[in-house]
């Protein structure tokens, strides 16, 4: 059981800083709800369960710290396998890719080729590819590669914008001519004040502004947040802009606030869950745990719970 208290809140903040020192097996156990498993079969099983609950999915192959072109090729192939499995199993899911996983930091041409391969394969199966957005140094290349694909006639591809970044409102305007499909999120990467809002309320306000602008520009929007304040503003803006449920979707992460997702589905909104799988689970897990406001409770329950009599694991 988790008990809210000022002391625990302090402990939560302290733990976020030392999380990288927490033993990997503990991180693995307490982050398991954020990850479908290590195999494609695990991802398909989780997606089938979500589909049965009326939720869509986007499948993410974990693996961003690649060191050579062979590793990028392995991830590219894993996406081709995922697209094949989605079709074979009749799942309602698309895929999300990280350009660093496809080789962006090794060579932009390598990432371009691997991205084209995945987008082409998805297109051949009537499926869609979302390009995740990574830290601010990758935004220029990511948006340029997205534009190239769209100008080459590939319509089954979308991008992500992060409200945290100062440049985002300009990016919304610059993308408008493409009638893009944009996932809007706050942005997970901590960025310096020179390029990003650093205040929580400013990031929220920038999210509302960017969403308003995206809706005005005619973009298809995927609203990716578990923040109830933003969910309420989003619903208001969708009403004001007269958006029908086929012209937007909400998105959430596997294992985060499923209660909020269930409520959206009950109210007739489209909801897509981000489903990561793979053997490179550590970095993603750390990011999710660092965002969990109740991290201390999880670490304590894992560490001390195992020593309590009668606890089954
Ligand atoms: P916030 O972090 O304030 O969370 C709101 C509430 O949700 C919290 O108070 C808590 O109750 C709950 N919550 C949030 N995280 C939790 C956790 N890990 N465990 C338990 N509870 C938690 N970022 C990026 O930079 N590039 C990208 O491509 C993407 N892609 C993406 C896809 C999808 C589908 C989602 C939902 C998010 C992303 N993100 C992302 C991450 C995003 O930028 C952001 O870091 C997280 O969504 C958390 O921000 P919230 O808006 O949920 O607010």
């Amino acid at each position: 059981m988790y008990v809210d208290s000022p002391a625990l809140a302090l402990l939560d903040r302290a733990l976020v800083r030392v999380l990288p020192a927490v033993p990997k097996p503990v991180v693995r156990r307490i982050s398991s709800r954020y990850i479908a498993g290590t195999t494609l079969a695990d991802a398909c099983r989780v997606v089938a369960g979500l589909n049965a609950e009326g939720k869509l999915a986007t499948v993410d192959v974990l693996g961003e710290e690649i060191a050579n072109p062979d590793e990028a090729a392995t991830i590219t192939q894993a996406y081709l396998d995922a697209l094949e499995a989605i079709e074979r199993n009749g799942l309602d899911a698309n895929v999300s890719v990280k350009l660093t996983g496809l080789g962006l930091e090794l060579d932009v041409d390598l990432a371009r080729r691997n991205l084209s391969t995945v987008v082409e394969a998805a297109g051949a199966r009537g499926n869609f590819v979302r390009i995740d957005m990574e830290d601010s140094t990758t935004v220029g290349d990511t948006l340029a590669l997205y534009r190239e694909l769209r100008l080459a006639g590939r319509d089954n591809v979308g991008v992500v914008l992060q409200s945290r970044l100062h440049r985002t409102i300009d990016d919304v305007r610059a993308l408008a001519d493409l009638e893009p499909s944009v996932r809007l999120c706050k942005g997970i990467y901590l960025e310096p004040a020179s390029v990003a809002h650093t205040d929580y309320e400013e990031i929220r306000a920038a999210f509302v502004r960017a969403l308003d602008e995206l809706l005005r520009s005619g973009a298809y929007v995927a609203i990716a947040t578990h923040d109830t304040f933003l969910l309420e503003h989003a619903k208001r803006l969708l009403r004001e802009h007269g958006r029908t449920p086929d012209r937007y979707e909400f998105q959430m992460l596997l294992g985060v606030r499923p209660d909020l997702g269930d409520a959206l589905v009950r109210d007739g909104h489209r909801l897509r869950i981000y489903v990561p799988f793979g053997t490179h689970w550590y970095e993603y897990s750390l990011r999710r745990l660092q965002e969990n406001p109740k991290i201390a409770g999880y670490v304590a329950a894992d560490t001390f719970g195992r020593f309590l009599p009668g606890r089954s694991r």
Side-chain angles (χ1 to χ4, degrees), residues 63 65 123 139 197 206 260 271 274 281 292 304 308:
E65 315 132 81
V139 176
H197 303 287
L260 291 180
L271 174 70
Y274 191 94
W281 51 269
N292 187 328
F304 303 118
L308 295 177

Side-chain angles (χ1 to χ4, degrees), residues 197-228:
H197 303 287
T198 53
D199 175 74
Y200 189 73
E201 291 306 328
E202 280 179 17
I203 295 168
R204 274 179 160 172
F207 192 111
V208 175
R209 276 197 306 277
L211 179 56
D212 191 24
E213 191 72 28
L214 280 166
L215 292 168
R216 196 181 308 282
S217 78
Y220 179 91
V221 281
I223 303 156
T225 183
H226 322 88
D227 183 341
T228 47

Side-chain angles (χ1 to χ4, degrees), residues 22-23 34 56 77-79 122 135 143 161 181 197 227 240 252 276 303 311:
V22 171
Y34 300 125
L56 314 171
Q77 184 58 47
Y79 275 107
D135 73 76
L143 293 180
L161 294 176
S181 170
H197 303 287
D227 183 341
E240 284 174 14
M252 292 188 179
T303 309
R311 263 189 79 115

Side-chain angles (χ1 to χ4, degrees), residues 154-229:
R154 295 275 172 215
D155 290 339
N156 63 316
V157 58
V159 274
V160 177
L161 294 176
Q162 302 157 322
S163 73
R164 177 186 299 276
L165 296 184
H166 296 314
R167 60 174 288 169
T168 287
I169 199 78
D170 293 331
D171 288 333
V172 170
R173 292 175 186 141
L175 285 168
D177 63 308
L178 297 174
E179 292 187 24
S181 170
V182 176
R183 173 197 297 153
L184 180 64
C185 63
K186 286 181 181 170
I188 176 68
Y189 304 90
L190 291 182
E191 305 281 356
S194 53
V195 298
H197 303 287
T198 53
D199 175 74
Y200 189 73
E201 291 306 328
E202 280 179 17
I203 295 168
R204 274 179 160 172
F207 192 111
V208 175
R209 276 197 306 277
L211 179 56
D212 191 24
E213 191 72 28
L214 280 166
L215 292 168
R216 196 181 308 282
S217 78
Y220 179 91
V221 281
I223 303 156
T225 183
H226 322 88
D227 183 341
T228 47
F229 171 89

Side-chain angles (χ1 to χ4, degrees), residues 22-290:
V22 171
K24 276 194 175 182
V26 176
V27 172
R28 179 70 193 263
R29 277 195 298 274
I30 60 179
S31 63
S32 60
R33 70 192 177 120
Y34 300 125
I35 292 170
T38 50
T39 67
L40 178 55
D42 291 330
C44 288
R45 183 179 34 78
V46 169
V47 171
L50 292 167
N51 286 173
E53 295 171 4
K55 298 165 187 164
L56 314 171
T58 185
V59 174
D60 168 49
V61 179
L62 291 169
E64 29 196 298
E65 315 132 81
I66 59 138
N68 57 58
D70 286 348
E71 287 178 3
T74 302
I75 291 185
T76 304
Q77 184 58 47
Y79 275 107
L80 303 186
D81 295 344
L83 287 162
E84 187 275 329
I86 288 168
E87 187 175 26
R88 181 166 34 84
N89 291 295
L91 299 173
D92 205 337
N94 58 35
V95 296
S96 288
V97 300
K98 284 194 174 48
L99 287 183
T100 55
L102 300 184
L104 185 66
E105 279 172 354
L106 302 175
D107 171 13
V108 68
D109 286 331
L110 175 71
R112 175 185 286 114
R113 282 195 303 278
N114 287 334
L115 176 63
S116 297
T117 302
V118 177
V119 171
E120 218 166 288
R125 296 182 188 278
N127 211 326
F128 179 89
V129 179
R130 172 83 53 192
I131 312 171
D132 285 347
M133 193 57 85
E134 301 178 71
D135 73 76
S136 61
T137 64
T138 67
V139 176
D141 282 339
T142 303
L143 293 180
L145 290 181
Y146 169 69
R147 178 169 285 279
E148 269 179 34
L149 280 167
R150 290 297 312 282
L151 293 179
R154 295 275 172 215
D155 290 339
N156 63 316
V157 58
V159 274
V160 177
L161 294 176
Q162 302 157 322
S163 73
R164 177 186 299 276
L165 296 184
H166 296 314
R167 60 174 288 169
T168 287
I169 199 78
D170 293 331
D171 288 333
V172 170
R173 292 175 186 141
L175 285 168
D177 63 308
L178 297 174
E179 292 187 24
S181 170
V182 176
R183 173 197 297 153
L184 180 64
C185 63
K186 286 181 181 170
I188 176 68
Y189 304 90
L190 291 182
E191 305 281 356
S194 53
V195 298
H197 303 287
T198 53
D199 175 74
Y200 189 73
E201 291 306 328
E202 280 179 17
I203 295 168
R204 274 179 160 172
F207 192 111
V208 175
R209 276 197 306 277
L211 179 56
D212 191 24
E213 191 72 28
L214 280 166
L215 292 168
R216 196 181 308 282
S217 78
Y220 179 91
V221 281
I223 303 156
T225 183
H226 322 88
D227 183 341
T228 47
F229 171 89
L230 290 182
L231 290 171
E232 289 315 310
H233 273 284
K235 286 188 238 171
R236 173 184 60 78
L237 285 170
L238 290 165
R239 272 195 308 276
E240 284 174 14
H241 287 274
R243 283 289 173 114
T244 47
D246 57 324
R247 303 279 327 283
Y248 67 89
E249 64 191 49
F250 286 97
Q251 295 193 350
M252 292 188 179
L253 300 170
L254 184 68
V256 179
R257 299 298 310 264
D259 53 323
L260 291 180
D262 290 341
L264 287 172
V265 173
R266 271 198 305 277
D267 290 346
H269 301 284
R270 197 145 54 162
L271 174 70
R272 189 177 300 277
I273 305 294
Y274 191 94
V275 177
F277 81 95
T279 49
H280 298 272
W281 51 269
Y282 184 67
E283 293 296 328
Y284 181 86
S285 299
L286 274 194
R287 288 205 297 274
R288 293 288 78 84
L289 290 173
Q290 282 165 340

